[in-house]
Amino acid sequence: MLFKQISLTALLTFVVSVSAHYTFPDLIVNGVNTGDWVNVRRTNNYNSQSPVTDVTSADFRCYTSETHATASTATVAAGSTIGIGADQPVYHPGVVNVYMAKAPGNVSTFDGSGAVWFKVFQIPAVTDGGRTITFPAQNINAVNFQIPKNLPSGQYLVRVEQIALHSASTFGGAQFYLSCAQINVTGGGNGTPGPLVSIPGVYTGREPGIMLNIYYPIPTTYVQPGPAVWSG
């Protein structure tokens, strides 16, 4: 009987742990979800939902070292709002960054290497001097953002990352849930996106917004990881 109780407890713990994880498999264009892994490259964790924790690994870019996936490329207009949807509500407390990288040609053959990424959107934590810290990105179903109006036309990778901070008090404890979509931007402008960063390379994992205890003492401020947002 005791063995059965222990086994049941272990099973329930495993189920809860798995259900708390998620992926970002969907692109949303003009309010329409284009479907799982259609315009988003299928990530290694499409079944396991396990996060990336090593910010220096090749998987930190698009998480496709095992699937070697590409996707169909969706056409979107500069200045329009698109979204990247999660397969279930984003359960863990944390923050969101969205990066883009322009392909030199066909985005389907573009691996995103080098200092080519720029940030276009973020959802940071909200603090009030140490009394509370809240996470507006928690429990959302999709990350919705505007393609900058002045972004040059062309084909791009769009990379979303949700940084789960519930276990981030030690190095490597932050969990990154991420994926890369493929889009073709039309009607763009002549802006110069930047600052440009490499992924991996953009973080060391010791940034104050990545390695921190969100529970005690409650942070008095929060510094969003990565470069400034380029809005065009």
Side-chain angles (χ1 to χ4, degrees), residues 4-144:
K4 289 182 178 180
Q5 289 175 337
I6 293 174
S7 297
L8 180 59
T9 300
L11 177 61
L12 290 174
T13 300
F14 173 77
V15 170
V16 170
S17 175
V18 171
S19 66
H21 293 176
Y22 29 86
T23 60
F24 287 93
D26 302 327
L27 185 68
I28 302 166
V29 180
N30 296 322
V32 177
N33 189 319
T34 63
D36 290 359
W37 313 116
V38 175
N39 299 122
V40 177
R41 295 180 176 182
R42 187 186 296 269
T43 49
N44 295 351
N45 67 337
Y46 71 96
N47 279 326
S48 70
Q49 299 183 314
S50 58
V52 177
T53 56
D54 182 358
V55 300
T56 68
S57 71
D59 276 331
F60 192 61
R61 186 180 301 146
C62 290
Y63 207 178
T64 56
S65 65
E66 297 173 6
T67 63
H68 305 289
T70 60
S72 297
T73 303
T75 298
V76 301
S80 64
T81 295
I82 66 172
I84 298 184
D87 60 351
Q88 59 180 308
V90 173
Y91 175 85
H92 292 306
V95 300
V96 164
N97 290 315
V98 178
Y99 292 87
M100 295 182 66
K102 192 175 191 298
N106 188 332
V107 70
S108 293
T109 59
F110 179 48
D111 67 357
S113 58
V116 294
W117 297 89
F118 54 96
K119 190 192 290 186
V120 294
F121 183 69
Q122 63 185 21
I123 307 177
V126 177
T127 60
D128 59 3
R131 291 184 298 273
T132 62
I133 182 168
T134 57
F135 300 94
Q138 189 174 11
N139 295 319
I140 62 174
N141 293 296
V143 177
N144 299 299

Side-chain angles (χ1 to χ4, degrees), residues 201-227:
V202 62
Y203 311 135
T204 66
R206 297 188 182 276
E207 287 78 4
I210 293 177
M211 192 174 77
L212 76 163
N213 189 327
I214 63 173
Y215 301 108
Y216 185 84
I218 296 173
T220 57
T221 60
Y222 181 80
V223 180
Q224 186 78 359

